[in-house]
Amino acid sequence: MPLEYQAAVLHEPGTPLRIETIVAADLQPTDVLVRIRAAGLCHTDLEVIQGQLRYPMPIILGHEAAGIVEAVGSEARGVRRGDHVVLSWNPHCGHCFYCDRDLPILCDTYQREGAHAVQFDGASRASLRDGRDLHHLMFLGAFAEYCIVPDQSAVPVPREIPFDVACLIGCGVMTGAGAALNIAEIGKGDSVLVVGCGAVGLAAVQGARLAGAGKIFASDFDARKLDLAMAMGATHRIDAAREDAVSVVRTETSGRGVDVVLESAGNPAAFRITVEAVRPGGQVIWLGKTDVQSDITLRWGALMGEKRIRRSSYGGARPARDFPMLAQAYLDGKLLLDELITQRIALSDINAGFDALARGEAIRSVIVF
């Protein structure tokens, strides 16, 4: 009998997700079947629900998850039945133009198949009971009791880390902390501004701390998020409702601006702040995003001075290397993850969870299966 399980399915943008019975496809040679134990609600999922990111429907959302390997295909490598794994949404071929240039996030196959919301081989791994194929967000589709993924997307981590915090490593934490540790060239004692203190921004604050930054400025409109930022390593808080981040950082850096800006707010105003706040010769890393068809405007003069701007989608992730490292940092008390979880919910509460995310009330709601 084919495996049947419950999943949250989006049929049209702007409509609630439906909890439906899903039929799993047969396991292919390099596939891994994972029983999902926890999955985080991310802004990227919300953007698909709101129609800002456009994917084929019906689709299973969810790309930040952790679970237990239930079965492996005959040719699957690097993972065994019973492993505790964090899922990666960036499988890559390893030999295309971009993979050869150490840019797996731009892998030709990843880019081509990702837009169709299918699995890495171009096929679906689940269907509705009426036989219609389902699409999978970012090669996963993890708002479900089970998930079939490519072997390289199932990354073993220490069994000691709880699933509800482990899942955060798969997207938000990797993106934020990875940007600070892998992308930005943060030197010992450097000054860093983090714009936006949601899950990604708070991970960026911690990444900057782990990289040895001196002054770490955290900017947000929400006092609760700023409290968390200070607890996680920020040295200065900027209340964006009352203070101008550019003026604050320039005052604190002898008028120059900060060495590095890590942006995770995802709005035009935040993008403008980044180039105004960074010093000449400094680095700006954009992590947030807005509607893919939107324009942003910058003051041309703010770009003068050999400033470097880089867009990063996944914090330079090498999941097989970085996921276990981040998990161990949590276990060693160097990386705070429990504090990122606003609420733990059931799959049936997923729509309420996304409503809270849209209102800015939740840093991370985590579905616990």
Side-chain angles (χ1 to χ4, degrees):
M1 289 287 293
L3 173 66
E4 294 190 353
Y5 57 92
Q6 298 293 295
V9 180
L10 180 67
H11 286 264
E12 294 181 26
T15 65
L17 285 84
R18 305 182 202 169
I19 309 302
E20 302 189 46
T21 299
I22 302 305
V23 181
D26 292 335
L27 216 61
Q28 297 303 303
T30 58
D31 282 349
V32 175
L33 174 67
V34 179
R35 178 161 60 97
I36 302 298
R37 297 296 303 275
L41 275 58
C42 177
H43 268 280
T44 300
D45 302 298
L46 181 61
E47 289 160 8
V48 180
I49 294 170
Q50 294 175 335
Q52 297 173 14
L53 288 178
R54 298 156 183 86
Y55 282 97
M57 306 280 165
I59 188 171
I60 308 175
L61 303 181
H63 63 283
E64 184 181 84
I68 301 173
V69 173
E70 291 285 312
V72 298
S74 59
E75 299 176 14
R77 297 182 299 172
V79 64
R80 297 178 298 179
R81 188 174 185 275
D83 280 348
H84 290 202
V85 294
V86 172
L87 301 187
S88 165
W89 49 260
N90 183 214
H92 48 279
C93 72
H95 54 73
C96 69
F97 177 90
Y98 288 106
C99 286
D100 283 346
R101 284 156 180 79
D102 204 28
L103 288 169
I105 195 69
L106 299 177
C107 168
D108 288 337
T109 305
Y110 173 85
Q111 294 290 329
R112 181 182 67 248
E113 304 300 351
H116 299 301
V118 290
Q119 268 301 352
F120 201 61
D121 62 0
S124 173
R125 291 294 189 275
S127 62
L128 294 168
R129 271 184 162 172
D130 63 12
R132 284 181 294 162
D133 279 348
L134 281 164
H135 297 276
H136 310 265
L137 180 64
M138 300 168 78
F139 304 99
L140 301 180
F143 292 151
E145 294 174 321
Y146 289 88
C147 190
I148 296 175
V149 303
D151 53 5
Q152 61 175 296
S153 288
V155 181
V157 294
R159 289 173 174 266
E160 293 80 7
I161 185 169
F163 292 108
D164 56 352
V165 293
C167 74
L168 306 178
I169 292 172
C171 184
V173 171
M174 183 68 249
T175 300
L181 295 169
N182 298 333
I183 303 297
E185 299 166 2
I186 298 175
K188 299 293 183 183
D190 276 358
S191 56
V192 177
L193 168 65
V194 177
V195 181
C197 293
V200 173
L202 291 170
V205 166
Q206 298 195 72
R209 168 175 53 79
L210 292 171
K215 293 181 177 179
I216 303 175
F217 301 87
S219 176
D220 201 285
F221 289 93
D222 191 327
R224 297 169 302 167
K225 294 176 181 177
L226 291 174
D227 290 341
L228 277 173
M230 296 298 289
M232 292 181 174
T235 59
H236 297 69
R237 59 190 291 156
I238 300 173
D239 182 349
R242 299 187 300 106
E243 300 176 279
D244 175 57
V246 176
S247 297
V248 171
V249 300
R250 286 183 177 172
T251 298
E252 294 289 338
T253 57
S254 303
R256 289 187 301 274
V258 293
D259 299 302
V260 176
V261 180
L262 299 166
E263 178 281 329
S264 62
N267 62 69
F271 296 131
R272 288 194 293 272
I273 287 170
T274 62
V275 295
E276 299 282 354
V278 73
R279 66 164 172 81
Q283 300 179 80
V284 172
I285 313 295
W286 286 342
L287 304 175
K289 55 188 179 298
T290 184
D291 189 292
V292 293
Q293 299 300 328
S294 295
D295 294 330
I296 63 170
T297 58
L298 304 172
R299 185 177 66 86
W300 182 253
L303 302 177
M304 298 297 100
E306 305 299 315
K307 297 178 180 180
R308 292 167 289 166
I309 302 174
R310 183 168 179 179
R311 163 70 183 158
S312 174
S313 298
Y314 207 10
R318 293 294 184 274
R321 173 197 69 191
D322 292 336
F323 287 8
M325 179 271 292
L326 292 169
Q328 192 60 51
Y330 166 81
L331 293 172
D332 292 342
K334 298 176 181 178
L335 185 66
L336 304 181
L337 298 182
D338 295 272
E339 293 80 357
L340 297 177
I341 300 175
T342 306
Q343 58 179 348
R344 295 166 176 84
I345 61 175
L347 181 64
S348 57
D349 298 321
I350 190 169
N351 289 306
F354 275 118
D355 288 343
L357 183 61
R359 292 192 299 265
E361 298 171 358
I363 295 174
R364 268 300 187 267
S365 297
V366 174
I367 299 169
V368 177
F369 291 87

